[in-house]
């Protein structure tokens, strides 16, 4: 071994493990400092008589219309879990599509059956195939949720029916930030901030993710100049990634509040369709986490290639 090779080997042996990027560390620090400042400001505001009167007038939730259903049914628990599972994997695959330098493989759709087209199908990466497949499953699950929500009347729990939801949402936000959280019972009614958040996710953020993703996919009509000028692909690219960040932020805040505002009761609402403090919901939740971890592990090329080959040709 030459002296140069020996030095290179020694250097590689003592190489430090990669560290978090400086920008990421700075962003985390700024976020923490900003959150602390918001809490301090909110607690100071709550000492003001005018703010106390505002909270007394708008406690944080609006009354539901008469006859609104009570409780969270099993179908809502099921669609909630599937949405969580699909979103987790969509965020993972979306990041892989954005950052992967060497695709794990490629997939070309079989040009037969009801999806037959005049032009030959385009070859896409295996990561993009999984991302698009998960997108389709999320959309299908969303359609089932909306049909059942409007058929059973549960839509009134996430769709505002009064403009009073706005000041009540502001009141709930102030109460959360001051760490003196609003009294709530999600089994009967969401507070106004929750209602607006769920409405935005279901009827604004998700459609944005779908339409911008569709614009960037091969399914978008290429020979439609007016449509393409009205909705340039650059706009879709500029919006699609921030939408993913909105989903990620929503998930983090949502999980944190579920676990910190009465975990057992909240988990029973969301996973066991019951309103008590038993451990049944926690058990179902733990099982769902196992399923998510397994799905994360199975979303690897060695397992994906056989599945993808059922509907197309898989190549390296």
């Amino acid at each position: 071994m030459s002296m140069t090779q020996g030095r290179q080997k020694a250097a590689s042996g003592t190489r430090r493990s990669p560290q978090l990027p400086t920008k990421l560390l700075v962003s985390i620090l700024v976020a923490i400092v900003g959150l602390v400042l918001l809490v301090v400001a909110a607690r100071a505001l709550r000492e003001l008589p005018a703010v106390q009167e505002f909270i007394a007038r708008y406690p944080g939730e609006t009354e539901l219309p008469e006859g609104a259903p009570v409780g969270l049914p099993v179908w809502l628990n099921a669609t909630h879990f599937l949405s969580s599972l699909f979103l987790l994997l969509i965020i993972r695959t979306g990041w892989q599509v954005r950052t992967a330098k060497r695709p794990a493989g490629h997939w070309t759709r079989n040009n037969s059956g009801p999806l037959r087209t005049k032009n030959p199908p385009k070859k896409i990466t295996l990561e993009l195939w999984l991302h698009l497949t998960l997108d389709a499953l999320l959309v299908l699950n969303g359609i089932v949720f909306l049909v059942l929500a409007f058929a059973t009347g549960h839509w009134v729990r996430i769709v505002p029916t009064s403009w009073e939801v706005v000041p009540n949402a502001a009141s709930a936000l102030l109460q959360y930030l001051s760490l003196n959280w609003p009294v709530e019972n999600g089994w009967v009614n969401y507070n106004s901030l929750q209602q607006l958040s769920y409405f935005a996710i279901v009827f604004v953020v998700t459609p944005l993710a779908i339409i911008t993703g569709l614009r960037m996919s091969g399914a978008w009509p290429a020979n439609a100049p007016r449509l393409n000028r009205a909705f340039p692909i650059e706009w879709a690219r500029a919006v699609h990634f921030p939408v993913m960040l909105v989903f990620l932020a929503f998930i983090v805040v949502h999980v944190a509040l579920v676990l910190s505002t009465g975990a057992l009761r909240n988990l029973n609402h969301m996973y066991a369709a019951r309103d008590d403090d038993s451990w049944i919901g926690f058990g179902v939740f733990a099982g769902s986490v196992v399923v998510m971890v397994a799905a994360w592990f199975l979303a690897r090329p060695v397992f994906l290639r056989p599945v993808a080959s059922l509907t197309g040709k898989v190549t390296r």
Side-chain angles (χ1 to χ4, degrees), residues 212-254:
T212 54
L214 182 63
R215 178 64 180 91
M216 296 186 294
S217 73
W220 188 267
N223 299 321
R226 291 184 178 179
L227 182 61
N228 292 335
R229 283 197 301 269
F231 187 19
I233 192 171
E234 292 78 12
W235 291 7
R237 288 171 179 164
V239 171
H240 198 68
F241 182 69
V243 164
M244 186 200 76
L245 297 181
V246 171
F247 274 124
L248 187 59
F250 172 80
I251 292 171
V252 171
V253 175
H254 180 60

Side-chain angles (χ1 to χ4, degrees), residues 136-255:
L137 292 174
L138 180 66
V139 170
L140 179 61
N141 183 64
I143 292 173
V144 171
F145 165 78
L146 289 176
V147 169
L148 292 174
F150 281 96
T152 61
H154 272 82
W155 64 271
V156 298
R157 293 173 61 96
I158 63 171
V159 177
T161 57
S162 168
W163 284 107
E164 287 195 354
V165 69
V166 176
N168 274 287
S171 173
L173 177 60
L174 181 60
Q175 293 176 65
Y176 278 124
L177 288 176
S178 65
L179 304 184
N180 187 2
W181 294 345
V183 177
E184 59 185 49
N185 182 6
W187 185 256
V188 177
N189 189 11
Y190 298 129
N191 69 50
S192 295
L193 186 60
Q194 289 175 309
Q195 187 180 51
L196 286 182
S197 299
Y198 298 153
F199 175 83
I201 288 293
V202 174
F203 295 103
V204 180
V205 180
T206 299
L208 270 177
I210 294 171
I211 191 65
T212 54
L214 182 63
R215 178 64 180 91
M216 296 186 294
S217 73
W220 188 267
N223 299 321
R226 291 184 178 179
L227 182 61
N228 292 335
R229 283 197 301 269
F231 187 19
I233 192 171
E234 292 78 12
W235 291 7
R237 288 171 179 164
V239 171
H240 198 68
F241 182 69
V243 164
M244 186 200 76
L245 297 181
V246 171
F247 274 124
L248 187 59
F250 172 80
I251 292 171
V252 171
V253 175
H254 180 60
V255 172

Side-chain angles (χ1 to χ4, degrees), residues 6-60:
R7 290 174 179 171
Q8 291 175 346
K9 184 176 181 180
S12 62
T14 58
R15 186 176 299 166
R16 296 180 178 178
S17 59
Q19 298 179 349
L20 288 174
T22 303
K23 288 184 178 180
L24 179 58
L25 290 174
V26 172
S27 299
I28 294 174
L29 180 61
V30 169
I32 293 174
V33 172
L35 183 59
V36 171
L37 292 176
L38 284 174
V39 170
V40 172
R43 293 182 69 87
L45 283 173
R46 290 202 64 166
E47 298 297 324
L48 301 177
V51 175
Q52 293 175 2
E53 292 177 6
F54 175 79
I55 294 176
R57 181 177 180 182
Y58 301 104

